[in-house]
mmCIF file of all heavy atoms in Angstrom:
data_model
loop_
_atom_site.group_PDB
_atom_site.id
_atom_site.type_symbol
_atom_site.label_atom_id
_atom_site.label_comp_id
_atom_site.label_asym_id
_atom_site.label_seq_id
_atom_site.Cartn_x
_atom_site.Cartn_y
_atom_site.Cartn_z
ATOM 1 N N CYS A 1431 12.895 57.328 10.964
ATOM 2 C CA CYS A 1431 12.007 56.188 10.767
ATOM 3 C C CYS A 1431 12.179 55.621 9.363
ATOM 4 O O CYS A 1431 11.701 54.498 9.108
ATOM 5 C CB CYS A 1431 10.548 56.602 11.001
ATOM 6 S SG CYS A 1431 9.954 57.994 10.055
ATOM 7 N N THR A 1432 12.814 56.285 8.446
ATOM 8 C CA THR A 1432 13.047 55.715 7.115
ATOM 9 C C THR A 1432 14.075 54.604 7.133
ATOM 10 O O THR A 1432 14.237 53.934 6.142
ATOM 11 C CB THR A 1432 13.515 56.797 6.136
ATOM 12 O OG1 THR A 1432 14.729 57.396 6.604
ATOM 13 C CG2 THR A 1432 12.496 57.894 5.904
ATOM 14 N N MET A 1433 14.751 54.393 8.322
ATOM 15 C CA MET A 1433 15.617 53.230 8.453
ATOM 16 C C MET A 1433 14.782 51.942 8.413
ATOM 17 O O MET A 1433 15.313 50.886 8.141
ATOM 18 C CB MET A 1433 16.393 53.336 9.693
ATOM 19 C CG MET A 1433 17.502 54.362 9.687
ATOM 20 S SD MET A 1433 18.631 54.186 11.085
ATOM 21 C CE MET A 1433 19.921 55.366 10.616
ATOM 22 N N PHE A 1434 13.502 52.065 8.743
ATOM 23 C CA PHE A 1434 12.612 50.906 8.598
ATOM 24 C C PHE A 1434 12.114 50.814 7.178
ATOM 25 O O PHE A 1434 10.968 51.136 6.909
ATOM 26 C CB PHE A 1434 11.506 50.982 9.620
ATOM 27 C CG PHE A 1434 12.007 51.148 11.043
ATOM 28 C CD1 PHE A 1434 12.028 52.392 11.655
ATOM 29 C CD2 PHE A 1434 12.395 50.012 11.738
ATOM 30 C CE1 PHE A 1434 12.517 52.493 12.970
ATOM 31 C CE2 PHE A 1434 12.901 50.151 13.040
ATOM 32 C CZ PHE A 1434 12.942 51.417 13.643
ATOM 33 N N SER A 1435 13.000 50.491 6.282
ATOM 34 C CA SER A 1435 12.740 50.560 4.865
ATOM 35 C C SER A 1435 13.325 49.343 4.191
ATOM 36 O O SER A 1435 14.401 48.863 4.602
ATOM 37 C CB SER A 1435 13.365 51.835 4.279
ATOM 38 O OG SER A 1435 13.415 51.740 2.871
ATOM 39 N N PRO A 1436 12.661 48.807 3.172
ATOM 40 C CA PRO A 1436 13.194 47.669 2.443
ATOM 41 C C PRO A 1436 14.378 48.025 1.531
ATOM 42 O O PRO A 1436 15.008 47.109 0.924
ATOM 43 C CB PRO A 1436 12.011 47.157 1.623
ATOM 44 C CG PRO A 1436 11.173 48.393 1.407
ATOM 45 C CD PRO A 1436 11.333 49.215 2.653
ATOM 46 N N HIS A 1437 14.724 49.336 1.441
ATOM 47 C CA HIS A 1437 15.720 49.750 0.508
ATOM 48 C C HIS A 1437 17.123 49.909 1.144
ATOM 49 O O HIS A 1437 18.057 50.331 0.432
ATOM 50 C CB HIS A 1437 15.284 51.084 -0.115
ATOM 51 C CG HIS A 1437 13.918 51.044 -0.722
ATOM 52 N ND1 HIS A 1437 13.552 50.121 -1.672
ATOM 53 C CD2 HIS A 1437 12.778 51.756 -0.474
ATOM 54 C CE1 HIS A 1437 12.294 50.309 -1.999
ATOM 55 N NE2 HIS A 1437 11.791 51.286 -1.268
ATOM 56 N N VAL A 1438 17.230 49.693 2.439
ATOM 57 C CA VAL A 1438 18.509 49.794 3.093
ATOM 58 C C VAL A 1438 18.859 48.536 3.816
ATOM 59 O O VAL A 1438 18.009 47.685 4.068
ATOM 60 C CB VAL A 1438 18.510 51.012 4.104
ATOM 61 C CG1 VAL A 1438 18.216 52.303 3.389
ATOM 62 C CG2 VAL A 1438 17.497 50.760 5.244
ATOM 63 N N VAL A 1439 20.149 48.348 4.189
ATOM 64 C CA VAL A 1439 20.523 47.179 5.010
ATOM 65 C C VAL A 1439 19.990 47.489 6.398
ATOM 66 O O VAL A 1439 20.333 48.478 7.048
ATOM 67 C CB VAL A 1439 22.036 47.025 5.065
ATOM 68 C CG1 VAL A 1439 22.407 45.796 5.910
ATOM 69 C CG2 VAL A 1439 22.624 46.891 3.670
ATOM 70 N N PRO A 1440 19.115 46.656 6.912
ATOM 71 C CA PRO A 1440 18.474 46.936 8.246
ATOM 72 C C PRO A 1440 19.535 46.913 9.345
ATOM 73 O O PRO A 1440 20.454 46.111 9.368
ATOM 74 C CB PRO A 1440 17.455 45.784 8.437
ATOM 75 C CG PRO A 1440 17.367 45.114 7.111
ATOM 76 C CD PRO A 1440 18.643 45.362 6.363
ATOM 77 N N ARG A 1441 19.389 47.795 10.310
ATOM 78 C CA ARG A 1441 20.247 47.902 11.450
ATOM 79 C C ARG A 1441 19.481 47.235 12.608
ATOM 80 O O ARG A 1441 18.564 47.799 13.147
ATOM 81 C CB ARG A 1441 20.595 49.334 11.708
ATOM 82 C CG ARG A 1441 21.894 49.549 12.468
ATOM 83 C CD ARG A 1441 22.284 51.021 12.552
ATOM 84 N NE ARG A 1441 23.493 51.219 13.217
ATOM 85 C CZ ARG A 1441 24.664 51.605 12.654
ATOM 86 N NH1 ARG A 1441 24.665 51.791 11.322
ATOM 87 N NH2 ARG A 1441 25.742 51.736 13.328
ATOM 88 N N ILE A 1442 19.911 46.079 13.019
ATOM 89 C CA ILE A 1442 19.184 45.286 14.021
ATOM 90 C C ILE A 1442 18.911 46.084 15.293
ATOM 91 O O ILE A 1442 17.754 46.057 15.804
ATOM 92 C CB ILE A 1442 19.926 43.963 14.340
ATOM 93 C CG1 ILE A 1442 19.811 43.029 13.170
ATOM 94 C CG2 ILE A 1442 19.382 43.315 15.598
ATOM 95 C CD1 ILE A 1442 20.586 41.738 13.290
ATOM 96 N N PRO A 1443 19.868 46.822 15.881
ATOM 97 C CA PRO A 1443 19.521 47.554 17.130
ATOM 98 C C PRO A 1443 18.311 48.487 16.988
ATOM 99 O O PRO A 1443 17.614 48.662 17.983
ATOM 100 C CB PRO A 1443 20.838 48.318 17.445
ATOM 101 C CG PRO A 1443 21.910 47.459 16.815
ATOM 102 C CD PRO A 1443 21.301 46.944 15.523
ATOM 103 N N LEU A 1444 18.092 49.080 15.823
ATOM 104 C CA LEU A 1444 16.921 49.933 15.651
ATOM 105 C C LEU A 1444 15.645 49.146 15.672
ATOM 106 O O LEU A 1444 14.645 49.540 16.308
ATOM 107 C CB LEU A 1444 17.011 50.716 14.355
ATOM 108 C CG LEU A 1444 17.838 52.028 14.429
ATOM 109 C CD1 LEU A 1444 18.060 52.577 13.044
ATOM 110 C CD2 LEU A 1444 17.194 53.038 15.362
ATOM 111 N N TYR A 1445 15.639 47.966 15.042
ATOM 112 C CA TYR A 1445 14.474 47.128 15.058
ATOM 113 C C TYR A 1445 14.186 46.593 16.472
ATOM 114 O O TYR A 1445 13.052 46.540 16.917
ATOM 115 C CB TYR A 1445 14.648 45.983 14.067
ATOM 116 C CG TYR A 1445 14.447 46.367 12.633
ATOM 117 C CD1 TYR A 1445 15.392 47.147 11.964
ATOM 118 C CD2 TYR A 1445 13.335 46.000 11.941
ATOM 119 C CE1 TYR A 1445 15.195 47.511 10.646
ATOM 120 C CE2 TYR A 1445 13.116 46.334 10.622
ATOM 121 C CZ TYR A 1445 14.039 47.094 9.978
ATOM 122 O OH TYR A 1445 13.853 47.465 8.672
ATOM 123 N N GLU A 1446 15.253 46.244 17.176
ATOM 124 C CA GLU A 1446 15.049 45.766 18.528
ATOM 125 C C GLU A 1446 14.609 46.887 19.454
ATOM 126 O O GLU A 1446 13.867 46.659 20.395
ATOM 127 C CB GLU A 1446 16.347 45.102 19.048
ATOM 128 C CG GLU A 1446 16.620 43.802 18.336
ATOM 129 C CD GLU A 1446 17.760 43.056 19.006
ATOM 130 O OE1 GLU A 1446 18.755 43.644 19.377
ATOM 131 O OE2 GLU A 1446 17.618 41.828 19.089
ATOM 132 N N TRP A 1447 15.070 48.102 19.169
ATOM 133 C CA TRP A 1447 14.640 49.290 19.948
ATOM 134 C C TRP A 1447 13.094 49.405 19.854
ATOM 135 O O TRP A 1447 12.423 49.654 20.825
ATOM 136 C CB TRP A 1447 15.335 50.513 19.471
ATOM 137 C CG TRP A 1447 14.585 51.768 19.854
ATOM 138 C CD1 TRP A 1447 14.524 52.335 21.082
ATOM 139 C CD2 TRP A 1447 13.779 52.574 19.006
ATOM 140 N NE1 TRP A 1447 13.728 53.461 21.068
ATOM 141 C CE2 TRP A 1447 13.222 53.619 19.776
ATOM 142 C CE3 TRP A 1447 13.410 52.526 17.640
ATOM 143 C CZ2 TRP A 1447 12.418 54.599 19.250
ATOM 144 C CZ3 TRP A 1447 12.603 53.488 17.123
ATOM 145 C CH2 TRP A 1447 12.074 54.518 17.954
ATOM 146 N N ILE A 1448 12.563 49.237 18.611
ATOM 147 C CA ILE A 1448 11.114 49.307 18.453
ATOM 148 C C ILE A 1448 10.451 48.243 19.253
ATOM 149 O O ILE A 1448 9.431 48.462 19.983
ATOM 150 C CB ILE A 1448 10.757 49.131 16.924
ATOM 151 C CG1 ILE A 1448 10.992 50.408 16.187
ATOM 152 C CG2 ILE A 1448 9.275 48.693 16.817
ATOM 153 C CD1 ILE A 1448 9.959 51.457 16.416
ATOM 154 N N VAL A 1449 10.981 47.028 19.237
ATOM 155 C CA VAL A 1449 10.398 45.877 20.019
ATOM 156 C C VAL A 1449 10.434 46.188 21.496
ATOM 157 O O VAL A 1449 9.442 46.079 22.181
ATOM 158 C CB VAL A 1449 11.171 44.591 19.714
ATOM 159 C CG1 VAL A 1449 10.693 43.477 20.609
ATOM 160 C CG2 VAL A 1449 11.000 44.220 18.237
ATOM 161 N N HIS A 1450 11.585 46.593 21.998
ATOM 162 C CA HIS A 1450 11.726 46.864 23.442
ATOM 163 C C HIS A 1450 10.866 48.027 23.934
ATOM 164 O O HIS A 1450 10.401 48.064 25.051
ATOM 165 C CB HIS A 1450 13.219 47.085 23.780
ATOM 166 C CG HIS A 1450 13.972 45.823 23.894
ATOM 167 N ND1 HIS A 1450 14.060 45.107 25.062
ATOM 168 C CD2 HIS A 1450 14.713 45.195 23.007
ATOM 169 C CE1 HIS A 1450 14.793 44.050 24.861
ATOM 170 N NE2 HIS A 1450 15.207 44.072 23.620
ATOM 171 N N THR A 1451 10.709 49.012 23.058
ATOM 172 C CA THR A 1451 10.043 50.222 23.487
ATOM 173 C C THR A 1451 8.528 50.212 23.337
ATOM 174 O O THR A 1451 7.810 50.738 24.150
ATOM 175 C CB THR A 1451 10.619 51.448 22.753
ATOM 176 O OG1 THR A 1451 12.058 51.469 22.899
ATOM 177 C CG2 THR A 1451 10.066 52.793 23.287
ATOM 178 N N PHE A 1452 8.102 49.629 22.242
ATOM 179 C CA PHE A 1452 6.663 49.728 21.893
ATOM 180 C C PHE A 1452 5.870 48.428 21.989
ATOM 181 O O PHE A 1452 4.707 48.360 21.550
ATOM 182 C CB PHE A 1452 6.531 50.332 20.493
ATOM 183 C CG PHE A 1452 6.943 51.835 20.512
ATOM 184 C CD1 PHE A 1452 8.187 52.181 20.039
ATOM 185 C CD2 PHE A 1452 6.100 52.773 20.990
ATOM 186 C CE1 PHE A 1452 8.579 53.490 20.038
ATOM 187 C CE2 PHE A 1452 6.501 54.143 21.012
ATOM 188 C CZ PHE A 1452 7.726 54.483 20.515
ATOM 189 N N SER A 1453 6.452 47.352 22.519
ATOM 190 C CA SER A 1453 5.745 46.110 22.688
ATOM 191 C C SER A 1453 4.739 46.151 23.863
ATOM 192 O O SER A 1453 3.807 45.391 23.892
ATOM 193 C CB SER A 1453 6.688 44.942 22.896
ATOM 194 O OG SER A 1453 7.451 44.720 21.761
ATOM 195 N N ARG A 1454 5.052 47.018 24.806
ATOM 196 C CA ARG A 1454 4.201 47.109 26.028
ATOM 197 C C ARG A 1454 4.280 48.510 26.562
ATOM 198 O O ARG A 1454 5.042 49.345 26.086
ATOM 199 C CB ARG A 1454 4.650 46.067 27.035
ATOM 200 C CG ARG A 1454 6.157 46.162 27.393
ATOM 201 C CD ARG A 1454 6.543 45.109 28.362
ATOM 202 N NE ARG A 1454 5.861 45.283 29.629
ATOM 203 C CZ ARG A 1454 5.922 44.435 30.634
ATOM 204 N NH1 ARG A 1454 6.573 43.278 30.528
ATOM 205 N NH2 ARG A 1454 5.260 44.645 31.769
ATOM 206 N N SER A 1455 3.502 48.779 27.627
ATOM 207 C CA SER A 1455 3.527 50.168 28.186
ATOM 208 C C SER A 1455 4.851 50.471 28.839
ATOM 209 O O SER A 1455 5.350 51.610 28.712
ATOM 210 C CB SER A 1455 2.377 50.308 29.199
ATOM 211 O OG SER A 1455 2.575 49.428 30.295
ATOM 212 N N GLY A 1456 5.452 49.485 29.536
ATOM 213 C CA GLY A 1456 6.825 49.671 29.993
ATOM 214 C C GLY A 1456 7.812 49.201 28.960
ATOM 215 O O GLY A 1456 7.460 48.957 27.801
ATOM 216 N N MET A 1457 9.072 49.064 29.359
ATOM 217 C CA MET A 1457 10.065 48.541 28.456
ATOM 218 C C MET A 1457 10.081 47.034 28.561
ATOM 219 O O MET A 1457 9.939 46.457 29.629
ATOM 220 C CB MET A 1457 11.448 49.139 28.756
ATOM 221 C CG MET A 1457 11.519 50.663 28.674
ATOM 222 S SD MET A 1457 11.187 51.277 27.006
ATOM 223 C CE MET A 1457 12.733 50.854 26.167
ATOM 224 N N LEU A 1458 10.303 46.353 27.453
ATOM 225 C CA LEU A 1458 10.389 44.895 27.416
ATOM 226 C C LEU A 1458 11.706 44.462 28.036
ATOM 227 O O LEU A 1458 12.780 44.940 27.609
ATOM 228 C CB LEU A 1458 10.292 44.424 25.969
ATOM 229 C CG LEU A 1458 10.308 42.910 25.747
ATOM 230 C CD1 LEU A 1458 9.070 42.273 26.330
ATOM 231 C CD2 LEU A 1458 10.452 42.610 24.259
ATOM 232 N N GLU A 1459 11.647 43.631 29.028
ATOM 233 C CA GLU A 1459 12.842 43.176 29.746
ATOM 234 C C GLU A 1459 13.289 41.822 29.212
ATOM 235 O O GLU A 1459 12.711 40.795 29.553
ATOM 236 C CB GLU A 1459 12.564 43.080 31.231
ATOM 237 C CG GLU A 1459 12.260 44.418 31.897
ATOM 238 C CD GLU A 1459 12.127 44.268 33.394
ATOM 239 O OE1 GLU A 1459 13.135 44.152 34.111
ATOM 240 O OE2 GLU A 1459 10.963 44.218 33.866
ATOM 241 N N GLN A 1460 14.342 41.782 28.399
ATOM 242 C CA GLN A 1460 14.980 40.566 27.948
ATOM 243 C C GLN A 1460 16.230 40.970 27.193
ATOM 244 O O GLN A 1460 16.402 42.096 26.807
ATOM 245 C CB GLN A 1460 14.068 39.738 27.068
ATOM 246 C CG GLN A 1460 13.678 40.351 25.756
ATOM 247 C CD GLN A 1460 12.734 39.465 24.945
ATOM 248 O OE1 GLN A 1460 11.602 39.321 25.306
ATOM 249 N NE2 GLN A 1460 13.261 38.907 23.868
ATOM 250 N N PRO A 1461 17.108 40.024 26.943
ATOM 251 C CA PRO A 1461 18.354 40.348 26.222
ATOM 252 C C PRO A 1461 18.053 40.919 24.837
ATOM 253 O O PRO A 1461 17.075 40.561 24.219
ATOM 254 C CB PRO A 1461 19.056 39.006 26.118
ATOM 255 C CG PRO A 1461 18.519 38.174 27.207
ATOM 256 C CD PRO A 1461 17.097 38.598 27.358
ATOM 257 N N LEU A 1462 18.885 41.807 24.418
ATOM 258 C CA LEU A 1462 18.685 42.417 23.093
ATOM 259 C C LEU A 1462 18.753 41.394 21.983
ATOM 260 O O LEU A 1462 17.996 41.463 21.008
ATOM 261 C CB LEU A 1462 19.746 43.517 22.840
ATOM 262 C CG LEU A 1462 19.516 44.855 23.567
ATOM 263 C CD1 LEU A 1462 20.643 45.789 23.275
ATOM 264 C CD2 LEU A 1462 18.207 45.442 23.172
ATOM 265 N N VAL A 1463 19.711 40.475 22.016
ATOM 266 C CA VAL A 1463 19.855 39.505 20.953
ATOM 267 C C VAL A 1463 19.935 38.135 21.581
ATOM 268 O O VAL A 1463 20.780 37.902 22.475
ATOM 269 C CB VAL A 1463 21.121 39.819 20.079
ATOM 270 C CG1 VAL A 1463 21.327 38.720 19.090
ATOM 271 C CG2 VAL A 1463 20.951 41.138 19.411
ATOM 272 N N ALA A 1464 19.161 37.211 21.066
ATOM 273 C CA ALA A 1464 19.238 35.804 21.544
ATOM 274 C C ALA A 1464 19.361 34.909 20.324
ATOM 275 O O ALA A 1464 18.747 35.180 19.320
ATOM 276 C CB ALA A 1464 18.012 35.439 22.345
ATOM 277 N N ARG A 1465 20.219 33.909 20.397
ATOM 278 C CA ARG A 1465 20.341 32.970 19.301
ATOM 279 C C ARG A 1465 19.067 32.100 19.281
ATOM 280 O O ARG A 1465 18.495 31.767 20.300
ATOM 281 C CB ARG A 1465 21.581 32.161 19.413
ATOM 282 C CG ARG A 1465 22.819 33.008 19.368
ATOM 283 C CD ARG A 1465 24.079 32.218 19.345
ATOM 284 N NE ARG A 1465 24.444 31.725 18.051
ATOM 285 C CZ ARG A 1465 24.982 32.520 17.095
ATOM 286 N NH1 ARG A 1465 25.220 33.746 17.302
ATOM 287 N NH2 ARG A 1465 25.311 31.984 15.897
ATOM 288 N N THR A 1466 18.631 31.742 18.108
ATOM 289 C CA THR A 1466 17.294 31.124 17.922
ATOM 290 C C THR A 1466 17.438 29.666 17.527
ATOM 291 O O THR A 1466 18.297 29.327 16.716
ATOM 292 C CB THR A 1466 16.541 31.887 16.803
ATOM 293 O OG1 THR A 1466 16.570 33.270 17.115
ATOM 294 C CG2 THR A 1466 15.161 31.411 16.636
ATOM 295 N N GLU A 1467 16.575 28.841 18.097
ATOM 296 C CA GLU A 1467 16.536 27.423 17.718
ATOM 297 C C GLU A 1467 16.291 27.345 16.199
ATOM 298 O O GLU A 1467 15.435 27.969 15.640
ATOM 299 C CB GLU A 1467 15.388 26.711 18.400
ATOM 300 C CG GLU A 1467 15.551 26.432 19.864
ATOM 301 C CD GLU A 1467 16.569 25.262 20.120
ATOM 302 O OE1 GLU A 1467 16.623 24.362 19.259
ATOM 303 O OE2 GLU A 1467 17.217 25.295 21.159
ATOM 304 N N GLY A 1468 17.137 26.532 15.545
ATOM 305 C CA GLY A 1468 16.925 26.330 14.099
ATOM 306 C C GLY A 1468 17.499 27.429 13.267
ATOM 307 O O GLY A 1468 17.366 27.380 12.060
ATOM 308 N N ALA A 1469 18.100 28.418 13.876
ATOM 309 C CA ALA A 1469 18.693 29.514 13.077
ATOM 310 C C ALA A 1469 20.198 29.619 13.527
ATOM 311 O O ALA A 1469 20.505 30.472 14.372
ATOM 312 C CB ALA A 1469 17.984 30.821 13.296
ATOM 313 N N PRO A 1470 21.058 28.759 13.023
ATOM 314 C CA PRO A 1470 22.418 28.700 13.519
ATOM 315 C C PRO A 1470 23.236 29.995 13.386
ATOM 316 O O PRO A 1470 24.160 30.211 14.068
ATOM 317 C CB PRO A 1470 23.057 27.623 12.696
ATOM 318 C CG PRO A 1470 22.158 27.457 11.533
ATOM 319 C CD PRO A 1470 20.804 27.845 11.918
ATOM 320 N N TYR A 1471 22.789 30.849 12.456
ATOM 321 C CA TYR A 1471 23.548 32.123 12.321
ATOM 322 C C TYR A 1471 22.980 33.190 13.195
ATOM 323 O O TYR A 1471 23.382 34.342 13.128
ATOM 324 C CB TYR A 1471 23.548 32.571 10.857
ATOM 325 C CG TYR A 1471 22.137 32.635 10.242
ATOM 326 C CD1 TYR A 1471 21.425 33.798 10.317
ATOM 327 C CD2 TYR A 1471 21.614 31.530 9.580
ATOM 328 C CE1 TYR A 1471 20.181 33.866 9.778
ATOM 329 C CE2 TYR A 1471 20.348 31.602 9.056
ATOM 330 C CZ TYR A 1471 19.636 32.755 9.139
ATOM 331 O OH TYR A 1471 18.369 32.821 8.618
ATOM 332 N N GLY A 1472 21.999 32.868 14.043
ATOM 333 C CA GLY A 1472 21.658 33.749 15.156
ATOM 334 C C GLY A 1472 20.649 34.863 14.817
ATOM 335 O O GLY A 1472 20.851 35.991 15.229
ATOM 336 N N LEU A 1473 19.584 34.549 14.139
ATOM 337 C CA LEU A 1473 18.562 35.544 13.909
ATOM 338 C C LEU A 1473 17.967 35.978 15.246
ATOM 339 O O LEU A 1473 17.656 35.123 16.102
ATOM 340 C CB LEU A 1473 17.413 34.976 13.053
ATOM 341 C CG LEU A 1473 16.422 35.969 12.444
ATOM 342 C CD1 LEU A 1473 17.139 36.874 11.475
ATOM 343 C CD2 LEU A 1473 15.306 35.246 11.776
ATOM 344 N N PRO A 1474 17.862 37.254 15.526
ATOM 345 C CA PRO A 1474 17.398 37.710 16.858
ATOM 346 C C PRO A 1474 15.986 37.218 17.190
ATOM 347 O O PRO A 1474 15.076 37.421 16.439
ATOM 348 C CB PRO A 1474 17.448 39.261 16.733
ATOM 349 C CG PRO A 1474 18.302 39.492 15.581
ATOM 350 C CD PRO A 1474 18.161 38.366 14.646
ATOM 351 N N GLU A 1475 15.895 36.609 18.348
ATOM 352 C CA GLU A 1475 14.575 36.086 18.806
ATOM 353 C C GLU A 1475 13.593 37.272 18.973
ATOM 354 O O GLU A 1475 12.443 37.146 18.642
ATOM 355 C CB GLU A 1475 14.751 35.338 20.118
ATOM 356 C CG GLU A 1475 13.443 34.785 20.677
ATOM 357 C CD GLU A 1475 12.829 33.681 19.837
ATOM 358 O OE1 GLU A 1475 13.634 33.012 19.154
ATOM 359 O OE2 GLU A 1475 11.623 33.505 19.869
ATOM 360 N N THR A 1476 14.072 38.406 19.472
ATOM 361 C CA THR A 1476 13.174 39.514 19.678
ATOM 362 C C THR A 1476 12.588 40.048 18.392
ATOM 363 O O THR A 1476 11.462 40.521 18.389
ATOM 364 C CB THR A 1476 13.953 40.675 20.376
ATOM 365 O OG1 THR A 1476 15.124 40.942 19.676
ATOM 366 C CG2 THR A 1476 14.223 40.342 21.809
#
């Protein structure tokens, strides 16, 4: 869990794992990474 720290380069799949696993009682069903309106370099929507 120390990977969720401001002192390291964040690893997106770990952050998305938190979103997919703990957003609801089941698993969140949607693509892991989606390109975002207004964010041309592709900040993950999730």
Side-chain angles (χ1 to χ4, degrees):
C1431 55
T1432 59
M1433 286 192 172
F1434 303 98
S1435 165
H1437 307 303
V1438 300
V1439 182
R1441 205 172 181 109
I1442 288 175
L1444 276 171
Y1445 282 72
E1446 290 191 318
W1447 160 75
I1448 283 283
V1449 173
H1450 280 276
T1451 306
F1452 292 100
S1453 294
R1454 54 181 298 172
S1455 62
M1457 300 297 286
L1458 183 66
E1459 294 184 79
Q1460 67 181 69
L1462 282 178
V1463 175
R1465 299 186 82 78
T1466 307
E1467 284 287 330
Y1471 53 89
L1473 195 66
E1475 180 66 27
T1476 50

